[in-house]
Amino acid sequence: MTTGWENKPLGEVCNIVGGGTPSKANSSYYGGDIPWATVRDMREELLSTTECRISNEAVAHSATNIIPRNNVVIATRVGLGKVCILAQDTAINQDLRGVVPKNKKYLDVRFLFRWFQSISKVIESEGTGLTVKGVKLPFVKSLKVPVPPLSEQKRIVAILDEAFEGIVTATANAEKNLANARELFESYLNAVFSNKGEEWVDTTVGQLVDDQILEKPLDGNHGDTHPKKADFVQSGVPFIMASDLVAGEVDQMHCNFLTRSQADSLRKGFAVAGDVLLSHKGTIGRVAVLQTSHDYVMLTPQVTYYRIKDGRVLHNRYLYYFFQSPKFQDEICHIAGAGSTRAYIGITKQLELKVSYPDFDVQRQIARRFDALIAETRRLETIYRKKLAELTELKQSLLQKAFDGKLTAGAETAIKEDATA
């Protein structure tokens, strides 16, 4: 224990106040003047707005309580470990608890808030429950909060607030750079396929099939022949769903598997290396090029394969990028009714999809430029994701040091340098 610090049970130094939900059967309880917070409202450190407001009558006739502004609320169910400071007097639901210091000359609210941030993972790990994990009131009251002298609390808070301001700025910059890296690819994708030349061929999938350029697209087995969950095995032939098409590749490690004998017995849906895969059911418009060491992978009815038959006319990686173009994606999503839980575009309708392409050599050049751009985009994403992870680790490290009494003089300068590096 650091000299001059005390460790106190939270319930000894704070009032822990529960909440509740007014009856939905009484319409007069809702739409009033009192903010009523749930876990969904805990988006920022300062909880300033709520999705719902209730009336004084609702407070009087329910288990909810109003927590005074400038106090801490924590999530003890659902978003276990989340913590905010209230910007205004706010009622809370049963998933939250207000934590109100009994003596604010003994325990600073912002110190308390930062301490809760430092133990959020501890609270989360203590959650119990089969469907929704939560912690009970006795556990919350028993948490030991370190209490240094008030002047030391305020010093620690000042250092953390300034440091976290720098971390927030650095995080925002990294997230902006990450978004810019993605937008660069999307912008180029849109530019290439929105400015096609006069020599480009405009056709349809069905016409490409008729012209012997594409094989007829096929998806997985429907009806009685569709493999069931009970058929899945630990390893074997990959059984590919829409969710297995990730970042232009086919995840053949975390997918489901079928035995080779069962897969061989199926009627259709045999995708081979080089096929362009397109998701067309539920999740619409995911695209990948299949690279595999298997003789084939088996598709579910969510995924269609597009197989080039005449490799002198159409390049598979060009087709892969074309399928990602905004115009094609808009078309397939519109036909499929994307946004609906039953979004779907069958093979017959897929034959009507429009395809445009230039000379084969130009296709190959376009594909190579996109390949290079994707490689650069992924390189930048790796850098920015690493930076975001480092900033998260820095924040937790600072919180740990703060409540171990190790934020020494001169720490502010070192913190700033770490955050902006």
Side-chain angles (χ1 to χ4, degrees):
M1 173 68 67
T2 304
T3 304
W5 289 43
E6 299 179 281
N7 260 356
K8 294 286 187 179
L10 188 65
E12 184 179 315
V13 294
C14 294
N15 293 314
I16 316 297
V17 186
T21 298
S23 171
K24 300 289 178 68
N26 192 329
S27 59
S28 67
Y29 285 176
Y30 291 87
D33 298 324
I34 301 170
W36 179 68
T38 70
V39 171
R40 289 194 304 273
D41 300 307
M42 301 178 75
R43 302 183 187 93
E44 307 288 343
E45 290 190 350
L46 187 67
L47 200 165
S48 55
T49 60
T50 60
E51 293 180 6
C52 188
R53 302 178 78 89
I54 59 175
S55 65
N56 285 303
E57 183 185 6
V59 175
H61 294 89
S62 72
T64 191
N65 287 289
I66 297 177
I67 311 302
R69 65 188 292 269
N70 292 331
N71 281 295
V72 170
V73 289
I74 61 171
T76 52
R77 280 182 80 248
V78 187
L80 196 57
K82 281 189 174 183
V83 58
C84 294
I85 292 180
L86 295 178
Q88 56 188 323
D89 295 356
T90 305
I92 58 175
N93 84 338
Q94 65 275 9
D95 298 331
L96 310 183
R97 291 192 183 273
V99 185
V100 182
K102 294 178 179 179
N103 182 353
K104 291 187 178 179
K105 292 183 179 179
Y106 179 71
L107 184 58
D108 182 78
V109 169
R110 287 198 64 79
F111 180 85
L112 181 66
F113 167 69
R114 293 299 187 195
W115 172 72
F116 268 118
Q117 285 186 319
S118 76
I119 64 165
S120 63
K121 295 297 183 184
V122 173
I123 295 175
E124 186 178 355
S125 69
E126 291 293 328
T128 58
L130 294 177
T131 54
V132 178
K133 292 190 178 297
V135 291
K136 304 291 187 183
L137 180 59
F139 167 78
V140 177
K141 286 185 172 183
S142 70
L143 290 167
K144 294 294 182 66
V145 56
V147 186
L150 191 63
S151 60
E152 178 66 2
Q153 293 179 44
K154 292 184 179 295
R155 184 188 77 86
I156 289 170
V157 167
I159 293 174
L160 291 177
D161 283 354
E162 185 173 356
F164 287 179
E165 185 178 342
I167 290 173
V168 167
T169 300
T171 298
N173 289 338
E175 288 174 343
K176 182 179 179 181
N177 288 335
L178 184 59
N180 287 343
R182 292 172 183 151
E183 288 171 6
L184 177 63
F185 171 75
E186 291 169 3
S187 175
Y188 186 57
L189 191 72
N190 186 50
V192 167
F193 295 111
S194 296
N195 298 289
K196 56 187 182 180
E198 294 181 0
E199 72 283 1
W200 284 43
V201 176
D202 292 320
T203 185
T204 65
V205 170
Q207 190 60 53
L208 289 169
V209 172
D210 291 343
D211 292 341
Q212 301 291 299
I213 297 169
L214 276 180
E215 291 190 15
K216 184 181 179 181
L218 289 174
D219 58 359
N221 295 265
H222 297 250
D224 293 340
T225 57
H226 179 261
K228 309 297 190 295
K229 186 174 182 180
D231 298 321
F232 299 161
V233 293
Q234 288 295 317
S235 62
V237 178
F239 187 48
I240 303 301
M241 303 175 64
S243 59
D244 299 318
L245 308 186
V246 182
E249 297 180 355
V250 183
D251 185 349
Q252 298 165 68
M253 292 183 61
H254 304 98
C255 61
N256 295 315
F257 297 91
L258 303 174
T259 64
R260 180 62 185 250
S261 60
Q262 182 181 16
D264 284 346
S265 72
L266 296 173
R267 183 172 57 87
K268 61 172 186 167
F270 301 88
V272 298
D275 286 352
V276 180
L277 306 187
L278 175 69
S279 66
H280 66 268
K281 184 177 182 181
T283 301
I284 302 296
R286 289 193 182 187
V287 192
V289 176
L290 178 60
Q291 299 180 35
T292 185
S293 59
H294 295 272
D295 295 342
Y296 65 84
V297 304
M298 184 56 59
L299 304 183
T300 67
Q302 299 177 345
V303 182
T304 304
Y305 72 68
Y306 283 76
R307 185 171 300 158
I308 307 295
K309 194 170 185 177
D310 190 340
R312 299 166 300 175
V313 177
L314 201 57
H315 193 286
N316 67 338
R317 289 200 67 78
Y318 169 83
L319 189 64
Y320 159 70
Y321 288 118
F322 179 81
F323 280 173
Q324 295 179 70
S325 66
K327 189 172 182 180
F328 182 86
Q329 287 284 319
D330 287 346
E331 182 184 14
I332 190 173
C333 288
H334 174 73
I335 295 172
S340 164
T341 55
R342 301 178 65 85
Y344 172 73
I345 175 170
I347 297 298
T348 301
K349 278 293 184 182
Q350 288 184 52
L351 295 175
E352 300 174 11
L353 293 170
K354 298 179 180 65
V355 177
S356 299
Y357 62 91
D359 177 79
F360 184 82
D361 287 338
V362 177
Q363 292 178 49
R364 188 161 47 190
Q365 292 169 14
I366 289 172
R368 285 173 178 169
R369 288 200 296 269
F370 276 125
D371 286 346
L373 187 56
I374 278 188
E376 176 64 10
T377 298
R378 289 178 177 172
R379 185 187 72 81
L380 293 173
E381 284 183 345
T382 299
I383 292 171
Y384 300 137
R385 288 186 189 283
K386 183 173 182 289
K387 179 65 175 177
L388 289 170
E390 289 171 348
L391 290 168
T392 299
E393 289 176 6
L394 174 61
K395 184 174 181 177
Q396 286 306 121
S397 173
L398 292 174
L399 288 167
Q400 185 68 44
K401 287 180 180 179
F403 297 102
D404 285 345
K406 296 179 180 177
L407 276 187
T408 58
E412 296 93 328
T413 301
I415 290 167
K416 286 180 184 177
E417 290 175 353
D418 283 345
T420 56

